Amino acid sequence: MVIEVPNEGTVSPVQRALAMARARLRHDAGRSGEPFIVHAEGTIGILAGIEADEACQVAAALFAEPDRLPSDEIERAFGPDVAVIVDSMRQVLRLRGLHRRASDASAGEQLETLRRMLLAMASDIRVVLLRLASRLQTLRWHARERSLPEAGISQETLDVLAPLANRLGLWQLKWELEDLAFRFLWPDTYRALARQLEEKRHEREAFVEQAVERVRAALSAAGVAAEVSGRPKHIYSIWNKMRVKQLDLDEIQDLRGLRVIVDDVRACYAALAVVHELWTPQSDDFDDYIARPKPNGYQSLHTVVLADDGRPLEVQIRTHDMHRFAEYGVASHWRYKERSTGLAGQRGDAAQEQRVAWMRQLLAWQREIGAQLGGAAQPAAVVIDASAGAAEAGDGDLAGAVAPKRARPTDGAADAAAARGASPATLSAGTVPSAATDTHIYVLTPQARVIELPVGSTAVDFAYHVHTDLGHRCRGARVDGQMVPLNTALATGQTVEIVVAKSGSGSEGPSRDWLNPQLGYVRSNRARAKVRQWFHTLDLQRDIAAGRERVEKVLQREGRTALSFDELSGRLHQPDASAMFVAVARDEIGPRQLEDAVRGTERGAAPAGDEGALQAVLDRARSHRHAGGDDGVLVVGVDLLMTQLARCCRPVPPDAIAGFVTRGRGVSVHRADCATFARMARDAPERVLETSWGERAAARSGPARGYPAEVEVRATDRPGLLHDVTEVFARDRLNVTAVRTLSKKQTAHMQFTVEVPDVQVLAGALAALRNVQGVFEARRR
């Protein structure tokens, strides 16, 4: 059914929108009991008061009941700009039910996340304005009708919406939202505090207006150019200050306040002198934050004076730069207020603060544009008493009906708006730059818990964020009820449900494909770290089992099955049996080294646990003199001392080396930069021996000897790759004693144990390997 809309040339767009709403909604009301049309008219009046543009006011009449006011018909009648605002508002209303479901244990974090989610979903600032105006209208209507709002509305107002109005600098909306919500939540406290106040709100406001004019005139007479404004404290802010600071009402010094903004610091003190001439200052309540700024950089002069009626009046004096810093910098008013009430998030988010600051600047800019254009066009035939107002239609009714977000208006839409008399600048002014917003998304669990994730996150990231076990068992995902691939990027506002593997089915655990960045399964560092940790644990368990099997075979072969694993690990200088098994499985402890440790005593070796024998080996080694020299240096392979080249670092002449006397295995020779040797030397420095290569090894004379060296090669996998690599070793006549290869995701990982005469030959072989087609890394391990 097509909705009949009055002729465009005879009435304003706002009037046409109200006519469309009346034609379809008639006298229907929301769950609160307020008629939709009454709510729409009241919301439009609030938006007009804060100078929201015409498209925002039109959307206020049309966002209720999406089934009866379809988005496509709204777009045809009023253009894509209005349709975008309506769709976004309907989506934002989903948050209506989320506040009630925030658990007490994480309420503080969830409330801050709800505020962030609202800003993220409202990509147009006018959506935020519409949401705030709609809620204020709801509370006004209930106040007028003397009825209680639906459960949760008032608390959500205090927890989510009023802080947002505060952040955007919409002070008038903020205080009225807070006062009305406070009135409904704690009516007895509200009435008691209201009775204690010596003057009603309008009387306080009247006093402040008179004080502003008096200060402005005095400053003008003194030749000080200044902007003077005043804002009395309201009932909720008074009560909150009494609660937080444990004060009585008569102890509150700033029930009424003025703010003076001048051009420079000199003018600040000149204005202070003028204020002190007008009223008597209270010396105990003066703070010079210009000379002594707060740790966060905040600067201003704060003074409390006694006004003509004998009651305190707080005056803040600052420059324009100080005011701009206080409004948009780290010492902004909303940060101060929310920290004092425990509402601010615990973690900083520079992008979110940039977004809020940009929105506040945008509001001020739109007001300036409106003033230059002579003000926004208002519906001539609609006369609204903003103080009476009406209610938030669809506050609960729209929770389940959310239209998809629409594309932003094109330049053609802007041209069409200009043809209708609207400013193209105003049309696009509400859009927040993506650079300030594309940092996080906000998605929901089936229980309506809000989860904050980096932009581009997938269902796998979501699962790991909720719980590590959920991520490990993730096998599929439903987004808004539809099955999607696990590498589908999520968007703000979506509800995500994870399909998991059955416990004990044998299919638990992540897939190694999730670590492939090209496949896009995992985007967040948190989820990636958890997947890697899973496979690290899996590999460790596999190595422990393989190493244990090798050790048990050696014990059986040597007939030493009574030898405990703990004693054997001590002989091998391992912290425990598990570490020994891993070292054996990874060939960090070789077969000969393991056999010698099992036997316990060998040529030139001290039996395990025999400290006397160990000391004898040390004395013998240190007293040894190499034939042809008198330097007391142990030479590898000389005399009857058993020496062996350590498998952990595989030294090759002419590497700098050092010796370490072991229990049961003679002297183990390490490279001087070996991490294992450094650890053992730190634990037992008395067992370290100065060691060098023999002359034959150093001069490469006499019979050729091969020293085992570990070579690692990484290359793009292809047919014939292994042949080409081993051909390099064959050309250099190097004996390959062991090969391990693994191909994964088109990348070949190869490890070779090669016997080389010295480091120079090894370096030449590595250089030749790097020239093999597809090899991108060749190094000595």
Side-chain angles (χ1 to χ4, degrees), residues 443-472:
V443 294
L444 309 174
T445 68
Q447 295 76 32
R449 176 187 169 196
V450 181
I451 302 297
E452 182 178 12
L453 297 169
V455 164
S457 293
T458 65
V460 178
D461 296 298
F462 170 87
Y464 276 107
H465 189 96
V466 174
H467 196 279
T468 301
D469 184 61
L470 183 65
H472 289 338

Side-chain angles (χ1 to χ4, degrees), residues 550-551 554 568 572 584 589-598:
R550 290 191 191 179
V551 171
V554 173
L568 182 59
L572 293 169
V584 170
I589 296 177
R592 180 183 172 186
Q593 186 178 355
L594 177 60
E595 291 171 358
D596 291 344
V598 170

Side-chain angles (χ1 to χ4, degrees), residues 475-513:
R475 291 297 175 268
R478 293 187 184 91
V479 176
D480 291 337
Q482 301 295 321
M483 292 296 297
V484 299
L486 284 178
N487 57 357
T488 301
L490 302 177
T492 290
Q494 291 178 329
T495 298
V496 183
E497 180 183 358
I498 300 299
V499 179
V500 299
K502 292 183 179 180
S503 180
S505 63
S507 60
E508 298 99 327
S511 167
R512 291 189 182 270
D513 288 342

